[in-house]
Amino acid sequence: MYEVLNYESTLEILDSEGITGIVKKVEKVKFLQDNIIAIQDQVWGINHSISDYICSPGLPVDFYQSGYKTYVIVSLREVKNKGDIEILNFEWKLEGKPVRKYGYWETFIDRSTNNLNVKIIFPPNRPPIRVWGIERNKKNTIELDEKSLTQLPDRRWQIVWDKKNPRLYENYTIKWEW
């Protein structure tokens, strides 16, 4: 239906226990077919409830559960045609159990994607001690170094993992110890 030119996914952990967070996704897409009026989004949060889902452009019209993912049907509210480029914005809130010593955030690539950018923002009083990037299907684990971790002006910590031409159907996971 469309290819993803750029995919940005951000998990912002709002408290030092990891109980609440906000997820934001921004996808720049190019439609590959005519007469597209709706798309499917995926939201997730293992051991966390999902609420306050918003998207732009469009309107969420249906939610359904499959495994640990919730699928959302988004009416675009206008017809998209082959070659059209659109910026899709998605956001939702997570609330759940505390994240103990280890946490992780997973991004699954289910469409042709040119660039992947995954960010996790940690509270100022609980930065990660170690961070790994894992490509599950490829069975590849890399330790993300200090160049991937920065302290933001408001004293929160941010880890960034960029991946050019991520593999289709690959799970890219950032795992951390804190």
Side-chain angles (χ1 to χ4, degrees):
M1 183 181 325
Y2 61 84
E3 70 174 316
V4 180
L5 303 175
N6 192 54
Y7 182 115
E8 297 177 20
S9 171
T10 303
L11 167 63
E12 180 181 351
I13 302 169
L14 299 176
D15 60 273
S16 59
E17 290 79 34
I19 294 172
T20 59
I22 294 176
V23 178
K24 296 178 182 178
K25 294 190 308 183
V26 179
E27 296 181 40
K28 182 177 182 181
V29 303
K30 180 178 180 182
F31 288 89
L32 303 175
Q33 300 174 9
D34 288 333
N35 300 314
I36 305 298
I37 61 169
I39 60 168
Q40 177 178 277
D41 186 27
Q42 301 174 28
V43 299
W44 58 92
I46 296 174
N47 296 325
H48 285 73
S49 66
I50 297 163
S51 63
D52 301 333
Y53 179 90
I54 56 174
C55 59
S56 171
L59 180 70
V61 294
D62 191 20
F63 294 80
Y64 64 95
Q65 190 82 28
S66 180
Y68 67 91
K69 292 182 182 179
T70 299
Y71 292 88
V72 183
I73 304 301
V74 175
S75 169
L76 294 173
R77 313 307 281 177
E78 66 178 42
V79 176
K80 298 297 179 185
N81 291 304
K82 185 176 182 176
D84 289 350
I85 294 178
E86 186 70 66
I87 307 255
L88 305 173
N89 294 279
F90 308 96
E91 182 176 316
W92 66 90
K93 186 176 181 183
L94 297 173
E95 292 186 90
K97 299 177 182 177
V99 177
R100 300 290 179 206
K101 186 173 181 174
Y102 295 97
Y104 70 94
W105 185 247
E106 188 173 86
T107 302
F108 179 68
I109 301 299
D110 65 350
R111 289 180 173 37
S112 174
T113 303
N114 295 340
N115 184 55
L116 172 66
N117 176 278
V118 181
K119 297 177 190 166
I120 301 176
I121 300 173
F122 297 89
N125 58 343
R126 197 163 181 200
I129 298 168
R130 288 181 56 204
V131 181
W132 303 268
I134 302 167
E135 297 168 301
R136 185 188 308 167
N137 295 338
K138 202 173 173 184
K139 295 182 175 30
N140 185 34
T141 300
I142 57 167
E143 191 154 353
L144 300 177
D145 60 19
E146 61 277 347
K147 289 182 237 169
S148 301
L149 181 66
T150 57
Q151 190 167 29
L152 301 173
D154 63 3
R155 312 222 9 99
R156 294 178 303 157
W157 294 90
Q158 175 178 273
I159 190 80
V160 177
W161 189 17
D162 282 313
K163 190 77 177 168
K164 301 287 185 217
N165 301 311
R167 292 179 54 200
L168 191 59
Y169 306 118
E170 180 65 86
N171 276 300
Y172 293 92
T173 304
I174 294 179
K175 186 174 181 180
W176 68 88
E177 177 184 0
W178 62 350

